[in-house]
Amino acid sequence: MAKVDTAPSEPLAPPARPRSSVPQVPRQASPGPSEPSNSATLIGSVQRAMRLLERVAEHEYGAPAKQLARETGLALPTAYHLLRTLVHEGYLRRDKGLFFLGEAAVRLSSSGAEQKRRSTVADTLARCRDAIGVPVYYAQYRDGEIEVVCVSDTPGNPAVEEWADFRETGHAHAIGQCLLSQLDEDARRDHLERHPVQSITPYTVRDSSSLLRRLERVRRMEPVVERQEYALGTVCAAIPITLGTTAATMAISLPVQQSDRLLSAARQLQEEVGRLLGSLAISISI
């Protein structure tokens, strides 16, 4: 900023505006088309580092600094400096003069892929929810536990509140019963030893022997239905989704006053899942 003479004998001159500053506009005015681009706030060194990372990712067997500098259009000293920094931070690793993606970059990649898979599941559930007009749930049995991965509902058709831990009460809800029905007997007994049967409502199955007999009677690909066993006033149905060794399920819930809709809605869910199974299969390994 230019120096301003503050002597009292002369009026103050307005300070010179920096070239990169944003013009001041009234709060209620809309930004004009001539407003400066946000590119003025971008950090060039970060952009160059990202270009290097992208190039390294394209070389499965690694690449030397000179090649990476040439491909990114960077001066060799600049490329060396950024590459050393990325190696220090764990985003790259260097081996015999070649640069490869490091553990930190791999973690970012894995996280991004998982987010994409979860987004695919969420989209699938939303389509089923809108088609049937009920809350839809997706869950898996993983590492010996019941995991509700995603729930899709609306204010008009809210999901069941998890007032008792879903993992510990698998015997009481359709999601858990459907997942347990896909396991072998030893795995079922192991689960029930860790999470014993307990009364959740007056309608909950009373003991593990009764539950095991019920699970044995579940027919392949048939909906598993429970009525007010987990939450009073709610009925649920779950359909099995088995791909490889992964036990999974999609389920729906309805107010008890709409019990007569439960089986037809479950059949409709099976039809919807059949149409969308391709996209869901890609994401089954979340």
Side-chain angles (χ1 to χ4, degrees):
M1 183 176 290
K3 184 177 180 181
V4 179
D5 187 355
T6 58
S9 59
E10 295 184 17
L12 292 174
R17 175 182 297 158
R19 294 175 64 86
S20 61
S21 63
V22 179
Q24 298 297 314
V25 296
R27 288 188 177 182
Q28 290 149 351
S30 300
S34 61
E35 187 170 339
S37 167
N38 288 334
S39 63
T41 65
L42 300 180
I43 301 174
S45 60
V46 175
Q47 293 176 307
R48 292 188 285 273
M50 292 300 101
R51 292 208 302 272
L52 282 169
L53 279 173
E54 291 173 353
R55 287 297 180 176
V56 172
E58 293 173 358
H59 295 283
E60 182 179 357
Y61 301 104
K66 288 184 179 180
Q67 180 179 354
L68 294 169
R70 184 173 62 253
E71 292 179 353
T72 54
L74 297 177
L76 186 57
T78 300
Y80 269 125
H81 175 72
L82 291 171
L83 289 168
R84 284 196 302 269
T85 302
L86 290 168
V87 169
H88 180 269
E89 297 298 325
Y91 290 98
L92 294 180
R93 62 180 178 86
R94 187 177 183 180
D95 183 18
K96 298 178 181 179
L98 301 178
F99 291 90
F100 302 83
L101 291 181
E103 292 184 2
V106 173
R107 287 196 300 270
L108 284 177
S109 176
S110 299
S111 178
E114 181 172 335
Q115 289 180 7
K116 184 175 181 179
R117 289 194 295 268
R118 287 185 179 274
S119 177
T120 300
V121 171
D123 290 344
T124 300
L125 262 64
R127 293 180 189 179
C128 294
R129 176 203 67 201
D130 294 341
I132 308 172
V134 296
V136 183
Y137 311 75
Y138 175 71
Q140 291 183 351
Y141 194 82
R142 184 163 54 185
D143 298 328
E145 299 293 346
I146 293 166
E147 179 181 350
V148 178
V149 177
C150 189
V151 179
S152 186
D153 63 355
T154 64
N157 293 295
V160 177
E161 181 182 355
E162 186 180 357
W163 70 277
D165 193 328
F166 277 145
R167 294 170 299 178
E168 298 178 0
T169 58
H171 62 281
H173 49 71
I175 287 174
Q177 293 175 21
C178 186
L179 291 174
L180 292 175
S181 73
Q182 298 176 60
L183 307 180
D184 60 36
E185 184 177 354
D186 289 341
R188 293 174 191 168
R189 291 185 180 277
D190 174 72
H191 181 90
L192 295 176
E193 286 179 4
R194 290 181 288 110
H195 303 298
V197 171
Q198 55 182 310
S199 294
I200 305 298
T201 76
Y203 302 94
T204 306
V205 64
R206 291 303 177 214
D207 54 68
S208 59
S209 297
S210 300
L211 176 65
L212 289 171
R213 287 195 296 272
R214 180 193 295 186
L215 295 177
E216 289 174 358
R217 292 195 298 268
V218 174
R219 298 174 62 184
R220 181 176 173 80
M221 303 312 295
E222 285 295 306
V224 175
V225 174
E226 62 91 355
R227 301 176 187 274
Q228 304 190 83
E229 295 181 46
Y230 175 79
L232 292 175
T234 302
V235 295
C236 301
I239 61 170
I241 301 174
T242 304
L243 295 176
T245 59
T246 302
T249 182
M250 287 181 66
I252 58 174
S253 62
L254 283 167
V256 68
Q257 297 87 346
Q258 300 181 34
S259 294
D260 57 335
R261 283 190 59 204
L262 186 62
L263 286 178
S264 62
R267 297 298 184 193
Q268 189 176 354
L269 177 64
Q270 283 184 311
E271 294 174 2
E272 292 294 329
V273 170
R275 284 194 287 268
L276 302 171
L277 191 57
S279 60
L280 187 62
I282 298 172
S283 309
I284 200 82
S285 59
I286 291 177

